[in-house]
Amino acid sequence: MTASIIDGKAIAGTVREQVRQAVVQMKEDYGYTPGLATVLVGEDPASSTYVRSKRKTCEELGIRSIGHELPATATQTQVEQLVASLNADPNVNGILVQLPLPKHLNEEAVLNSISLEKDVDGFHPVNIGRLAMKGRDPLFIPCTPYGCIVLLEESGIPIRGAEAVVVGRSNIVGLPVAMLLQKRDATVTICHSRTRDLAEHIRRADIVIAAIGRTEMITGDMLKPGAAVIDVGINQKPDPTAKRGYRLVGDVDFESAKEVAGAITPVPGGVGPMTITMLMKNTLRAAEIELAKRDR
């Protein structure tokens, strides 16, 4: 058996087109354009690349991109004052502070200073708290976990009643995606670096979310035949035949896993395209919240 490949690029493309059309409709109906502000502190090359990619996607979807760049020497007060000014700007719907911040800055304090209604990354403690509670919904869902769920749903993979194993317990992916699966009535096990007999846990799973950041750690012999595998990992594996001297691989050994799994995401081209896409969807939702406030 060879797994069907879950095409993250294609699914992201469908969602992006839905967002683009909704933005056009919002402009026609209300004369209003959603706006996403990005805050980049310092000149970290990877962070700069991520921010450029987000701004480019905004442009493609008709969303205004408002870029703010501060030097690496910026103080905590300067960063928080910038966030406060963006909180007060009704034309800014979402605020994205690119992480990591320089080490002298308190990331938690900066993120907590973002208005709940502009927290399009979905990491505000209130949003995470609502995600954890039965019968409550957050204003915004963290983008990568949100993308994982959409990949499963759009691929027709049943979540209700499924046994799901999440490998990794980070605040960014592991914990939020576990809560999202539970809200959809999956039975969820969270595994991590201290889990005993990890393979035995994974072997029971109908759905595996791999988000532990270890190169090709999960192999085909650890999977239940027919399982759905969502690989969040992005790791650099040395490859002298590649132009850059390495190639990108996930937390799952794709070649062995695809012979056992029922469906699997590739790396790259799986979860990656969904993260920025769900950020755009959250920004659209933030604009809808702003317009609803004006109608009250």
Side-chain angles (χ1 to χ4, degrees):
M1 178 177 66
T2 300
S4 63
I5 305 302
I6 299 174
D7 190 341
K9 289 183 180 178
I11 293 172
T14 298
V15 177
R16 289 186 188 198
E17 179 58 21
Q18 293 168 352
V19 171
R20 189 192 67 78
Q21 291 180 10
V23 169
V24 169
Q25 196 65 49
M26 183 176 287
K27 290 177 183 177
E28 290 179 357
D29 292 346
Y30 302 98
Y32 187 84
T33 301
L36 174 65
T38 55
V39 177
L40 178 63
V41 185
E43 298 177 354
D44 178 76
S47 293
S48 297
T49 299
Y50 291 145
V51 168
R52 281 197 303 271
S53 179
K54 288 161 186 172
R55 291 177 183 172
K56 182 174 181 290
T57 306
C58 282
E59 182 180 335
E60 291 170 353
L61 301 187
I63 294 172
R64 285 186 310 106
S65 176
I66 307 106
H68 291 272
E69 298 180 2
L70 296 175
T73 54
T75 66
Q76 186 79 21
T77 298
Q78 287 174 320
V79 177
E80 291 187 14
Q81 283 179 342
L82 173 56
V83 171
S85 71
L86 296 173
N87 282 336
D89 187 343
N91 293 312
V92 171
N93 303 113
I95 302 171
L96 183 129
V97 176
Q98 185 63 48
L99 302 180
L101 292 173
K103 291 183 179 180
H104 69 280
L105 297 175
N106 184 330
E107 284 188 359
E108 183 178 0
V110 171
L111 295 178
N112 287 349
S113 70
I114 297 172
S115 166
L116 180 63
E117 293 182 347
K118 300 189 180 188
D119 172 43
V120 289
D121 255 342
F123 293 141
H124 192 288
V126 173
N127 275 322
I128 294 296
R130 287 176 175 172
L131 186 62
M133 296 177 70
K134 189 174 180 179
R136 301 283 183 89
D137 290 309
L139 287 179
F140 306 104
I141 300 169
C143 301
T144 300
Y146 194 1
C148 292
I149 297 298
V150 172
L151 287 175
L152 290 170
E153 292 176 338
E154 291 299 312
S155 301
I157 294 164
I159 300 177
R160 175 175 287 180
E163 183 150 358
V165 168
V166 178
V167 187
R169 53 179 171 177
S170 71
N171 290 332
I172 295 172
V173 181
L175 292 178
V177 82
M179 291 187 285
L180 285 168
L181 288 163
Q182 185 168 279
K183 276 184 177 288
R184 286 159 177 76
D185 298 322
T187 299
V188 183
T189 301
I190 301 176
C191 296
H192 44 79
S193 59
R194 300 291 187 270
T195 298
R196 296 178 182 174
D197 201 354
L198 176 64
E200 190 59 33
H201 287 283
I202 294 173
R203 222 170 265 126
R204 295 199 309 267
D206 304 302
I207 297 170
V208 177
I209 311 288
I212 201 165
R214 295 189 181 180
T215 302
E216 297 177 332
M217 188 190 76
I218 298 172
T219 54
D221 60 353
M222 299 168 70
L223 298 172
K224 177 181 180 179
V229 180
I230 305 294
D231 190 351
V232 183
I234 302 178
N235 308 294
Q236 294 181 2
K237 183 176 182 178
D239 182 352
T241 67
K243 184 177 180 180
R244 294 174 292 186
Y246 66 87
R247 58 190 172 90
L248 296 178
V249 299
D251 292 349
V252 178
D253 176 23
F254 184 81
E255 292 304 318
S256 65
K258 73 178 183 180
E259 301 302 323
V260 182
I264 188 169
T265 57
V267 176
V271 175
M274 296 299 296
T275 298
I276 292 180
T277 298
M278 305 323 292
L279 174 65
M280 298 300 121
K281 188 164 185 176
N282 278 349
T283 301
L284 173 64
R285 173 164 166 72
E288 292 169 345
I289 290 170
E290 172 63 25
L291 289 174
K293 283 166 56 180
R294 297 182 181 191
D295 287 342
R296 288 173 192 163

